[in-house]
Amino acid sequence: MTKNGKRYLGGAALAAAALAGYLLIGPSQLGGPVTYVAVTGTSMQPHLHTGDLVIVRKAPQYNVGDVVAFRNSQLRSTVLHRIIGVEDGRFVLQGDNNDFVDTYRARPEDIVGRKWLVLGKAGKVIEL
């Protein structure tokens, strides 16, 4: 194989790896499959802590027990809580460390995604 042929294969392999990475962990803001959420507060302790980075992915369905990120229109923010029930087609949510149930009932279209990966303390990078 020629030197140019090796460069072409190396470039093609790099492009394929970049595409695979994007398809796996590309941010939804750029058309990718995942959303990055930085944890703030204590509502999901002991499992999630302030500064953790949670990567969430859309799922075909969400079930009781899933930790999901959802857009809370009352708080005007994205929240990570656990689904504890379903009422009238809306999700009932609660933080693992909370002794109260969220007043906001998330609609299916409010759900950003289900917890996929947690990178401890990596959320501080996106808070800068």
Side-chain angles (χ1 to χ4, degrees), residues 31-107:
V34 301
T35 300
Y36 298 82
V37 181
V39 176
T40 59
T42 61
S43 69
M44 288 303 291
Q45 288 182 356
H47 303 103
L48 300 173
H49 298 87
T50 294
D52 289 349
L53 181 66
V54 180
I55 302 173
V56 300
R57 296 180 74 133
K58 282 270 189 205
Q61 66 182 34
Y62 301 97
N63 302 300
V64 170
D66 289 344
V67 173
V68 296
F70 65 99
R71 290 181 201 88
N72 183 319
S73 61
Q74 291 175 339
L75 298 176
R76 295 185 178 142
S77 67
T78 299
V79 178
L80 277 161
H81 278 172
R82 188 176 304 278
I83 297 173
I84 62 167
V86 180
E87 292 178 358
D88 299 321
R90 290 179 173 242
F91 296 103
V92 180
L93 298 128
Q94 181 176 8
D96 290 351
N97 194 36
N98 290 347
D99 58 2
F100 58 90
V101 175
D102 296 358
T103 58
Y104 184 74
R105 300 293 189 256
R107 302 166 300 169

Side-chain angles (χ1 to χ4, degrees), residues 13-26 33 57:
L14 182 60
L19 178 62
Y22 171 78
L23 293 174
L24 185 63
I25 60 170
R57 296 180 74 133

